[in-house]
Amino acid sequence: MFPSSTPSAYSLTSALSSHFSPPTLLLLTSVVCPLLWPFLFFSWPILLFHIHSHRALLKPTKESRKQLPAWLQSTTTRLNGKIQHNKVTIIPHRGGSGEAPENTLQSFRLNGLNHIDLKKTLDHHVVCFHDQEPHERNMLKLTGRDASLRSFDLCRLPPLMSRIPSNPLCDYGYISCEGREGRKIPQFTEVCSLSKPMFLELWDDDFNLVETVHEHLRVANQTHNVIWGNRFSTLIQSMCQEVNSSIPVMSTAPQMFNVYVLYYLGLLPFVGIKGFDVFMVVLVNVERWRKLFTGAFGEEDSTPYFVADFFISRIITVINYFLRAPKLFTHLKLRGIPVVGLVVNDEEDWDYCVGSGFDGIITDYPKRCEQFLRRKRGLASPVLQNAKSAGDDFSKQMEKRRKEAYSTKL
């Protein structure tokens, strides 16, 4: 009676009829259908709204924003209806802490641009330093001194150890520090004298620190070539804007979270974005972050480690899925907000950043990143092109020593 290629609806009806008697089917239909009608009635406006939001996402209203430094101005354009991304800037994290001692003059000289962490000493001098220990013992990791940096005057600051632990997201366990510039904690005035673009993070909730940093920038005529703030503290961000509202500030973690929530709710195209000028994206590498968090649960063959690894790896995978939203990044760039990835140390993530149209990549391996992008994408950072050639030789030498030490340790 019916052809062999029967419609899917008929097949579904036949399948239900073979499993349920007609009275049962009638009962199921009378119960399920009234329950579906309210859902269909209320869901279609939501569906239409999200369709409208999707169309508005890639056609945002132009906004008047702060003048950004030339090295990080968004270069997203439209060509024949398609969105084009023209360049990416490599920003060495702490001066490239995977290739040279972090936050030292030695590392800063190797690059044409640097991400720098700033703190204040007891006698109110600004120095380049980042700590991952509790506040009362933040010198322990780099200098071996169980004390706070704010308990030292500038002239009494201890030097870095000859071997310091590297960033937890790097490949190797330590970095070798050699020479005066490789072991000294530098003053910010020394860095300003290099006359290079800077991406500054201030780590003290101190208005005097912000004022002092701004004064050094003004004297060195570098206020036009800087982005500053703190990616965790809205208080420091507001201080920076109060001292000089013309210098662009980076987004904080709460602001990043708000943008993602508005994006996934479909409200972002219709809401004004204020409070920051550069959007910071934390790109989660599942393998690196899994090792970083599960390492605190004992040995790899222990039960606590296995249980923690099972749950943490899945949580990180879900977070990573939601953080990677290329349409969001393109939308922000079309609104004049550069997108910068933090901290990106793997080739697949570098490639993702370029493919998603990131304006900047903060990485511990600037030289390696530049070589990869030049080889894979035919791109080169407009800032690192001007770095001294001596930096290449130094990076190769440091890489060779780390590999030898790492193989010996194993």
Side-chain angles (χ1 to χ4, degrees):
M1 183 176 179
F2 292 94
S4 57
S5 58
T6 56
S8 58
Y10 177 76
S11 302
L12 179 61
T13 306
S14 303
L16 291 174
S17 301
S18 62
H19 287 83
F20 301 100
S21 61
T24 306
L25 277 177
L26 182 62
L27 179 62
L28 287 174
T29 305
S30 62
V31 172
V32 173
C33 287
L35 294 177
L36 289 177
W37 276 110
F39 173 76
L40 294 174
F41 180 78
F42 289 107
S43 64
W44 70 265
I46 299 175
L47 179 62
L48 291 178
F49 172 77
H50 275 274
I51 293 175
H52 178 57
S53 173
H54 175 74
R55 290 179 176 178
L57 194 68
L58 298 182
K59 295 181 179 179
T61 305
K62 290 290 183 179
E63 299 179 1
S64 58
R65 309 194 68 86
K66 294 180 185 177
Q67 180 67 29
L68 292 163
W71 51 270
L72 199 62
Q73 289 181 2
S74 182
T75 57
T76 298
T77 56
R78 294 180 184 272
L79 182 63
N80 299 327
K82 295 183 179 181
I83 296 173
Q84 306 289 323
H85 307 297
N86 300 328
K87 74 177 180 70
V88 61
T89 299
I90 301 172
I91 306 170
H93 183 229
R94 306 179 193 173
S97 62
E99 298 174 348
E102 65 178 61
N103 286 316
T104 59
L105 284 175
Q106 187 177 55
S107 62
F108 297 150
R109 291 187 190 277
L110 300 179
N111 311 298
L113 162 69
N114 289 289
H115 167 277
I116 304 171
D117 301 294
L118 300 177
K119 296 180 73 70
K120 195 169 66 171
T121 61
L122 180 62
D123 51 351
H124 305 290
H125 286 87
V126 181
V127 296
C128 304
F129 191 81
H130 181 278
D131 62 277
Q132 295 180 344
E133 297 292 339
H135 180 72
E136 65 275 5
R137 52 181 299 184
N138 55 28
M139 301 287 287
L140 184 62
K141 172 194 167 188
L142 300 182
T143 67
R145 300 285 294 272
D146 191 358
S148 168
L149 183 138
R150 298 201 68 171
S151 64
F152 290 94
D153 290 331
L154 177 65
C155 61
R156 296 183 179 276
L157 280 176
L160 303 184
M161 295 183 294
S162 58
R163 291 171 42 177
I164 61 174
S166 64
N167 188 322
L169 294 177
C170 292
D171 295 334
Y172 303 102
Y174 68 91
I175 296 290
S176 297
C177 303
E178 299 177 354
R180 182 175 180 273
E181 289 192 349
R183 299 190 62 184
K184 177 190 174 184
I185 299 176
Q187 285 185 258
F188 183 54
T189 52
E190 296 177 279
V191 181
C192 288
S193 65
L194 299 178
S195 300
K196 296 182 178 183
M198 291 176 284
F199 202 100
L200 303 178
E201 279 204 74
L202 287 66
W203 289 98
D204 287 336
D205 295 335
D206 189 337
F207 192 77
N208 182 259
L209 170 64
V210 180
E211 286 186 320
T212 306
V213 170
H214 179 262
E215 180 62 20
H216 292 329
L217 292 173
R218 187 190 63 79
V219 171
N221 193 26
Q222 288 288 307
T223 54
H224 66 286
N225 218 14
V226 165
I227 292 172
W228 65 349
N230 185 285
R231 61 182 183 271
F232 298 108
S233 175
T234 307
L235 177 60
I236 294 178
Q237 183 192 73
S238 61
M239 290 178 182
C240 292
Q241 291 174 325
E242 182 178 348
V243 170
N244 190 334
S245 59
S246 64
I247 300 180
V249 295
M250 67 186 75
S251 64
T252 62
Q255 290 170 337
M256 185 188 75
F257 178 77
N258 291 339
V259 168
Y260 272 100
V261 170
L262 290 172
Y263 168 73
Y264 282 110
L265 290 178
L267 299 173
L268 187 60
F270 316 109
V271 177
I273 300 177
K274 298 180 180 180
F276 64 89
D277 306 290
V278 178
F279 186 68
M280 308 293 288
V281 180
V282 179
L283 278 189
V284 176
N285 183 279
V286 177
E287 188 63 24
R288 286 186 184 271
W289 285 62
R290 182 182 66 83
K291 292 181 179 179
L292 178 63
F293 286 106
T294 55
F297 291 89
E299 300 295 333
E300 293 188 10
D301 56 349
S302 63
T303 302
Y305 183 94
F306 176 79
V307 174
D309 182 63
F310 177 83
F311 287 103
I312 289 176
S313 60
R314 280 150 183 80
I315 293 172
I316 292 176
T317 301
V318 172
I319 294 174
N320 181 54
Y321 174 80
F322 284 103
L323 286 177
R324 302 194 178 215
K327 290 182 180 178
L328 166 63
F329 308 146
T330 300
H331 172 79
L332 293 173
K333 286 164 61 64
L334 289 173
R335 290 175 74 162
I337 304 175
V339 179
V340 175
L342 175 84
V343 170
V344 190
N345 287 339
D346 295 274
E347 292 187 353
E348 59 182 32
D349 293 330
W350 294 334
D351 193 49
Y352 174 84
C353 289
V354 175
S356 299
F358 280 40
D359 294 282
I361 301 174
I362 297 180
T363 178
D364 291 303
Y365 300 102
K367 298 298 181 185
R368 187 191 301 178
C369 179
E370 184 188 26
Q371 292 170 2
F372 170 78
L373 295 181
R374 192 189 297 273
R375 182 178 71 251
K376 180 72 179 291
R377 294 272 185 170
L379 297 175
S381 172
V383 176
L384 287 183
Q385 286 178 355
N386 301 323
K388 294 182 178 180
S389 59
D392 297 329
D393 298 332
F394 179 81
S395 298
K396 291 178 181 179
Q397 182 182 6
M398 294 291 292
E399 184 104 354
K400 181 179 179 181
R401 292 183 180 180
R402 283 195 298 271
K403 288 183 178 180
E404 291 176 352
Y406 185 71
S407 59
T408 304
K409 185 177 179 181
L410 293 178

